[in-house]
Amino acid sequence: MAEAHQAVAFQFTITPEGIDLHLSYQALSQIYLSGLRSWKKRISRIKNRIIKGVYPASPSSWLFVVIAILATMYMQSDPSMGLIAKIREHLPLSLSLSAQGQTVLSVLLFSTLLWLSLILALRFCLKLLLSYHRWMFELHGRISTKTKVWATLVRLLSSRKPLLYSYQTSLPHLPVPSIKDTLERYLESVKPLLDVDGFQRMTRLAAEFEKSLGNRLQKYLKLKALWATNYVSDWWEEYVYLRSRSPIMVNSNYYGMDFLYVTPTSTQAARAGNTITALFLYRRKVNREELNPSRIPGTVIPLCAAQCERMFNTTRTPGEETDVLQHWQDSEFVAVYHRGRYFRLWVYRAGRLLSPREIQYQIQRILDDPSPPSPGEDKLGALTAGNRTPWAQMRKQFFSSGVNKRSLDCIEKAAFFVTLDDQEEGMMGENPSVNLDRYAKSLLHGKCYDRWFDKSFSVVVYKNGKNGLNAEHSWADAPIVAHLWEFTLATDAFHLGYTADGNCKGEIEHSLPPPQRLSWDIPLKECHIFSCSALADDVDCHVFPFREFGKGRIKKMKLSPDSFVQLALQLAYYRDRGTFCLTYEASMTRLFREGRTETVRSSSNESCAFVLALEAGEVIEHCHKLLRKAAEKHQNLYRLAMTGSGIDRHLFCLYVVSKYLGVESPFLKEVLSEPWRLSTSQTPVQQMELFDLVNHPEFISLGGGFGPVADDGYGVSYIIMGEEMINFHVSCKHSCTETDSHKFGSQISQAMMDLMTLLNPDFKEATKANPDKQS
């Protein structure tokens, strides 16, 4: 109880001589420093609100406007055209100010109004400029004069260094596509997947929908678009994620991996110390808005940063009908799980962030703690892995008061969750490929009870120093978490570093109170914690680095690397299943305010024609031509999705409106029930400047992955690392006899090789001459 006594700032006792007061100056000092940190954060927030509120102007520009107006007034000129005199006439303080004072005050008021008007005008101009997207459809090297002028104006208005959220109010709103365009694109996308009768049937349903219900639903949707910041995002978050009652483990959450070839230290506590420190340094940058806004690579075009707001101190809490995302302004601790016990670890003391060495010291205390779990505590995390409604009911019954509520609050209000895993993971041992697959499964679901799947993200640190994370999906999409994880890995390895013996750097304050063990009172006879092991065991994961070539060689062939990979996936799936399927590729709509994702339907008429021609053994020149045509089509589909002209989010919102109105649409019902048997996503590398792959090529990230969307389908994630490697993550289900992640992985590798050989026949001979490069 020593730490409890230290936390008391003063004590007093009543004696015959009077009141005996004892002050704890150490406790008072900590209270003062903690309060000082809190006030600094408040002041920083106010300052940032002002700076981003006047962007693209600067606060100092107000002084420039005032001086300019005063100078013109001094030269007997009135730039206000009589407005300053009008303001002076209506001043309520005219009796208590001199004539000169009234003039100065009037000038200040007029200058402020003029300054605010100029800011609004600049912001409006920037919003108009950011609404222009034709530049994306122009061929490389053939940029129009209009686009060149546009790019120059965007650079001029973006010349000031922005804060993280500076562009938010200047981003355009997501436009609502026309019903006719969406239906035409939809029918074009399903044509290669349906027989003649099926396509005619869908064409008839689409025509009936457009003539009858479609236009009515569209009017409501346009009304929402006028009123809401984004007509898709709130419904997408609610109906796709929060209202889903199925387990979020495997089905929704996704994972991110450590470096492929290296582990900075084999000491578990040290790796946890640096990882936790790096994450809090990132949170500090988010809170202070010191991060540069994300942009489209190679341009000055900003992307929406709204998803960063709920990155930390956020939990998805279960409800019987719908879950709720809860976010707290601040949290000075993390929740830690080790061997069935839960701890609260404070990472701030007296207003300062603990050093990495101090956090390592505290983590080691947890690792050395011999206490056993209390009854039911070790499997408690399984509640977050299962169906949402039973978890909501048990939360209400057993965790809404008393010690259970206090302990649950500590987990949910933590900055994030940390699991100290007893296993060793990574690409190691005699069979590194199998171990990589096991590593992926461990991050995706673990033992089903040793992760807290409701937290915005959970960090896993393994016994051998390897790490990774598991992220909840409703609050943000993978690029946001990938940006965080890139910073964390780079800061851990290159900036914080380790001593020669593998420990964290920094000094230790040995008077630190130990981590607080959380207490539980779980009535095991009534509180049934269901196992989700069947869902986890059914997942078949395969992770493999493709080393034969990367984006460097693909770009030399004058093709988009993403289009190349997507066509390889189409070829691989056709060879695996003998047919084509509806394919989902995640694209982003963050060019618009509060934008999230849109679907690129990668299986197109052009891609199917190319695959069929290649498999039929048609002449190389013809296949080559079809390949380039299919790649150009894919790029165009991707651009349409990014610029608000996608198919699926529009149809989804029309379906939601129909449900609100209580009307049925056979067309929408069928469209939204179509299975995505091939779900794909590229994990973008956004901060290559943090990784020196030339001098340190071994520091290559493995990227991350997700579970299969359809029971009889595949989930494929890939990350294009540097110029010479692409890492793939393939998932499916063992329960489906038609899917096999390893077999499909082999098909992907072969398809990649075949496409490159088609583009460059000499590549095959070069590969034979250098067999060591093959995986």
Side-chain angles (χ1 to χ4, degrees), residues 164-189:
L164 177 61
Y165 302 119
S166 289
Y167 288 108
Q168 290 303 102
T169 53
S170 299
L171 291 172
H173 287 199
L174 183 67
V176 181
S178 71
I179 286 277
K180 183 179 180 181
D181 289 345
T182 297
L183 294 180
E184 285 178 356
R185 292 187 187 114
Y186 169 77
L187 291 172
E188 182 186 3
S189 73

Side-chain angles (χ1 to χ4, degrees), residues 355-562:
S355 70
R357 189 71 181 88
E358 287 173 324
I359 296 177
Q360 176 187 347
Y361 174 70
Q362 295 291 70
I363 291 290
Q364 193 62 52
R365 285 172 134 177
I366 293 174
L367 293 172
D368 295 339
D369 188 329
S371 62
S374 60
E377 180 183 13
D378 56 338
K379 304 289 176 64
L380 197 60
L383 291 170
T384 68
N387 289 317
R388 305 305 292 172
T389 301
W391 170 210
Q393 292 167 345
M394 278 188 272
R395 175 191 171 90
K396 185 177 180 180
Q397 185 175 357
F398 301 108
F399 299 90
S400 58
S401 62
V403 64
N404 288 344
K405 184 181 187 305
R406 290 193 295 273
S407 294
L408 184 61
D409 280 349
C410 288
I411 295 174
E412 294 185 337
K413 294 180 180 179
F416 50 89
F417 191 82
V418 179
T419 294
L420 302 174
D421 203 299
D422 283 340
Q423 303 296 318
E424 295 186 357
E425 299 293 353
M427 192 174 74
M428 57 187 186
E430 296 180 358
N431 198 338
S433 177
V434 171
N435 289 329
L436 268 185
D437 299 344
R438 189 182 72 181
Y439 179 25
K441 278 180 66 69
S442 175
L443 288 172
L444 184 61
H445 54 67
K447 298 173 184 175
C448 303
Y449 56 78
D450 55 351
R451 316 280 187 261
W452 200 266
F453 295 101
D454 286 353
K455 286 298 292 181
S456 54
F457 65 91
S458 300
V459 176
V460 184
V461 184
Y462 295 97
K463 190 176 180 180
N464 61 340
K466 215 69 182 170
N467 70 5
L469 61 74
N470 180 287
E472 200 277 318
H473 209 324
S474 64
W475 65 274
D477 301 305
I480 302 298
V481 176
H483 194 278
L484 160 74
W485 196 235
E486 286 173 13
F487 177 91
T488 302
L489 291 178
T491 303
D492 168 24
F494 301 121
H495 299 286
L496 297 176
Y498 299 90
T499 61
D501 57 355
N503 289 311
C504 295
K505 298 176 181 178
E507 301 298 323
I508 302 176
E509 183 185 326
H510 289 281
S511 63
L512 289 171
Q516 176 190 354
R517 174 77 187 275
L518 301 185
S519 301
W520 307 91
D521 180 15
I522 303 171
L524 294 178
K525 291 183 180 180
E526 303 172 48
C527 183
H528 301 289
I529 301 176
F530 299 99
S531 172
C532 295
S533 58
L535 175 62
D537 293 342
D538 196 25
V539 178
D540 178 18
C541 286
H542 181 43
V543 179
F544 65 96
F546 181 82
R547 302 185 182 95
E548 280 66 31
F549 57 87
K551 71 175 182 181
R553 185 178 287 271
I554 297 172
K555 283 186 172 181
K556 286 180 180 178
M557 299 295 107
K558 297 182 179 180
L559 279 182
S560 156
D562 184 66

Side-chain angles (χ1 to χ4, degrees), residues 165-425:
Y165 302 119
S166 289
Y167 288 108
Q168 290 303 102
T169 53
S170 299
L171 291 172
H173 287 199
L174 183 67
V176 181
S178 71
I179 286 277
K180 183 179 180 181
D181 289 345
T182 297
L183 294 180
E184 285 178 356
R185 292 187 187 114
Y186 169 77
L187 291 172
E188 182 186 3
S189 73
V190 297
K191 188 174 183 179
L193 310 177
L194 301 172
D195 57 24
V196 176
D197 292 339
F199 183 70
Q200 287 178 350
R201 177 176 166 276
M202 286 307 300
T203 302
R204 187 177 65 255
L205 286 175
E208 290 172 358
F209 173 73
E210 183 181 3
K211 290 177 183 177
S212 57
L213 188 59
N215 288 324
R216 181 185 171 196
L217 301 180
Q218 181 81 343
K219 289 176 183 177
Y220 282 97
L221 205 54
K222 286 186 174 180
L223 184 63
K224 186 194 176 186
L226 289 173
W227 176 255
T229 306
N230 189 296
Y231 80 92
V232 175
S233 294
D234 57 338
W235 284 349
W236 187 253
E237 180 179 297
E238 180 180 358
Y239 293 106
V240 171
Y241 295 115
L242 299 180
R243 282 190 178 269
S244 173
R245 301 293 83 201
S246 60
I248 60 175
M249 181 192 77
V250 175
N251 295 325
S252 179
N253 285 30
Y254 53 95
Y255 65 87
M257 283 183 161
D258 196 1
F259 297 116
L260 174 60
Y261 298 118
V262 297
T263 305
T265 178
S266 59
T267 304
Q268 185 178 20
R271 192 73 196 280
N274 265 12
T275 300
I276 292 170
T277 301
L279 287 165
F280 272 94
L281 291 176
Y282 189 90
R283 189 183 75 163
R284 180 186 290 172
K285 284 180 172 289
V286 171
N287 289 343
R288 295 178 179 177
E289 301 186 37
E290 293 172 349
L291 289 175
N292 292 323
S294 296
R295 302 176 190 272
I296 292 181
T299 74
V300 294
I301 309 305
L303 302 176
C304 179
Q307 295 177 54
C308 296
E309 295 172 357
R310 297 181 294 184
M311 188 177 291
F312 295 91
N313 330 319
T314 299
T315 295
R316 174 174 175 165
T317 58
E320 294 193 22
E321 293 184 358
T322 182
D323 293 353
V324 176
L325 275 174
Q326 288 189 290
H327 173 72
W328 290 269
Q329 196 68 43
D330 193 18
S331 178
E332 296 187 347
F333 60 88
V334 295
V336 182
Y337 178 93
H338 177 245
R339 289 185 182 174
R341 296 92 40 85
Y342 290 88
F343 296 83
R344 174 161 62 176
L345 171 60
W346 293 93
V347 293
Y348 277 87
R349 180 171 173 82
R352 72 169 179 90
L353 179 64
L354 299 184
S355 70
R357 189 71 181 88
E358 287 173 324
I359 296 177
Q360 176 187 347
Y361 174 70
Q362 295 291 70
I363 291 290
Q364 193 62 52
R365 285 172 134 177
I366 293 174
L367 293 172
D368 295 339
D369 188 329
S371 62
S374 60
E377 180 183 13
D378 56 338
K379 304 289 176 64
L380 197 60
L383 291 170
T384 68
N387 289 317
R388 305 305 292 172
T389 301
W391 170 210
Q393 292 167 345
M394 278 188 272
R395 175 191 171 90
K396 185 177 180 180
Q397 185 175 357
F398 301 108
F399 299 90
S400 58
S401 62
V403 64
N404 288 344
K405 184 181 187 305
R406 290 193 295 273
S407 294
L408 184 61
D409 280 349
C410 288
I411 295 174
E412 294 185 337
K413 294 180 180 179
F416 50 89
F417 191 82
V418 179
T419 294
L420 302 174
D421 203 299
D422 283 340
Q423 303 296 318
E424 295 186 357
E425 299 293 353

